[in-house]
Amino acid sequence: MEGVRCISSAMVQAATHKAENQRVEFTPWDFRYLLVGPIQKGLLFPKPEKEADENTFIHHLKTSLSNTLDYFTPLAGRLATIVHDDGTISFFIDCNSAGALFIHAEADGVTISDMVEPVYVPPVVHSFFPLNGTKNHQGIFKPLLGVQVTVLMVFLLVLPSIILWLMVHRFGISLIHGARPRLHKLPEQYFGNAIRTRSITMKAKELQELRLGNIAMELNRMIATQTEEEFIKNLESWITSPKLVTMAEVTSNVMKATSLPRFNMYGNDFGWGRPVVVRSGSANKFEGKLTLFCGVEEGSIDIEACLSPETLDAMASDQEFMDTVTI
């Protein structure tokens, strides 16, 4: 399997930039994720047959992205800071239309079989994503949105990387869940994070004795008991004692599930047909991380797991687990 070759790279600005001096202030939710990497999600589509010229097709994608940025002006901006008299620093998004990164690439020799058949995600997949190795705070001088279109032999990958935020929802033994449905005063046009972290702990014996459904009920019960008042208190508490999330905090006995299977990833049809497969990038990967997507079949869920070989062997030996999943 060969690597990825970059054909062109450009900054795409909004088609009609009307956001001079517009800024989006950070909230405590946004500050927390300055030290981690961007969100990386990607879709594999059949290559459009009616587009005879690949350059024309890429030009159409750039134009579409430019028009879209008219409605999502923060994604074409950059992070900015203000140093106050007391020595503190404030972050905000400067909607200056500096542009989103657009990369056109080709992966010679990579086929659809290389993407969907292996149980283990091949390393070449991570090179299909832009902004690899970037931390969110680097959005001061790097784009907040990167899109890479990688053309395979008969398929193409559309893979965006978004710095900092956009609907982050997580749950697991350590539980991070959305606040939007509970915060009635949150404006509908609010564009940042709205989440809270909670934890439940179980002894190894309890995990072994409880069935999967019982564990899921514990998580569901925790989510159901969260109120608007508790979310507000959590925000106020963070302001008095701020702490940023780092990858070093992740321990070996924690499982976190990211994304949300409620989002219909396979429903993204741009006129080329439905996506063939969904993948995520290398950012923020750690032992015990699960990435969940709504499956291609109604009612199904795709699960991408980042696990050690020893953990995978133990899971394969768990008959109850293997009866529940399809690999």
Side-chain angles (χ1 to χ4, degrees), residues 279-296:
R279 289 291 182 264
S280 65
S282 61
N284 307 324
K285 285 290 194 292
F286 54 86
E287 163 77 8
K289 179 178 180 180
L290 305 179
T291 304
L292 308 181
F293 303 110
C294 177
V296 64

Side-chain angles (χ1 to χ4, degrees), residues 228-296:
E228 182 175 26
E229 292 73 19
E230 288 179 322
F231 273 102
I232 294 175
K233 287 180 180 179
N234 178 254
L235 277 180
E236 295 172 344
S237 173
W238 189 91
I239 294 173
T240 60
S241 181
K243 183 180 180 181
L244 303 184
V245 175
T246 67
M247 294 302 294
E249 295 177 349
V250 180
T251 58
S252 60
N253 61 345
V254 171
M255 178 174 290
K256 288 189 178 182
T258 67
S259 296
L260 193 68
R262 194 175 299 166
F263 300 142
N264 186 11
M265 298 291 287
Y266 287 95
N268 289 286
D269 186 345
F270 301 107
W272 318 323
R274 287 164 57 86
V276 177
V277 71
V278 181
R279 289 291 182 264
S280 65
S282 61
N284 307 324
K285 285 290 194 292
F286 54 86
E287 163 77 8
K289 179 178 180 180
L290 305 179
T291 304
L292 308 181
F293 303 110
C294 177
V296 64

Side-chain angles (χ1 to χ4, degrees), residues 17-207:
H17 179 49
K18 299 179 181 179
E20 288 84 357
N21 301 320
Q22 180 180 343
R23 51 193 279 181
V24 178
E25 303 291 345
F26 268 32
T27 69
W29 289 310
D30 300 321
F31 277 110
R32 291 175 177 174
Y33 297 99
L34 282 173
L35 301 183
V36 296
I39 298 172
Q40 295 181 317
K41 299 292 186 288
L43 302 170
L44 175 67
F45 290 97
K47 191 175 181 180
E49 296 181 359
K50 61 181 180 181
E51 294 287 353
D53 180 41
E54 186 171 301
N55 289 329
T56 300
F57 167 69
I58 294 298
H59 174 72
H60 287 167
L61 288 180
K62 286 184 179 179
T63 302
S64 178
L65 174 60
S66 178
N67 291 330
T68 301
L69 292 174
D70 275 340
Y71 299 93
F72 298 94
T73 53
L75 296 182
R78 296 292 183 270
L79 299 188
T81 60
I82 295 178
V83 180
H84 301 283
D85 294 337
D86 60 359
T88 59
I89 300 177
S90 297
F91 278 79
F92 64 93
I93 299 174
D94 182 3
C95 301
N96 57 9
S97 195
L101 176 64
F102 185 97
I103 298 175
H104 171 205
E106 290 186 353
D108 300 323
V110 179
T111 67
I112 178 63
S113 298
D114 298 325
M115 296 287 296
V116 301
E117 290 184 0
V119 174
Y120 302 100
V121 177
V124 70
V125 171
H126 294 159
S127 62
F128 295 151
F129 290 86
L131 302 179
N132 281 326
T134 300
K135 300 301 182 185
N136 290 330
H137 65 85
Q138 294 176 298
I140 293 176
F141 55 88
K142 289 191 176 184
L144 301 186
L145 170 65
V147 178
Q148 180 169 321
V149 179
T150 305
V151 181
L152 309 185
M153 296 180 67
V154 292
F155 288 83
L156 60 89
L157 285 154
V158 180
L159 306 168
S161 296
I162 302 176
I163 279 186
L164 204 68
W165 80 128
L166 265 189
M167 297 177 292
V168 181
H169 299 263
R170 301 180 182 179
F171 66 90
I173 292 174
S174 177
L175 184 65
I176 307 177
H177 53 99
R180 294 173 188 267
R182 297 169 177 82
L183 294 179
H184 303 295
K185 295 181 180 180
L186 194 68
E188 185 177 351
Q189 65 272 23
Y190 174 68
F191 200 60
N193 285 302
I195 55 181
R196 184 189 180 190
T197 303
R198 294 295 304 276
S199 296
I200 59 172
T201 59
M202 291 185 180
K203 296 180 180 179
K205 183 179 180 180
E206 292 178 311
L207 289 173

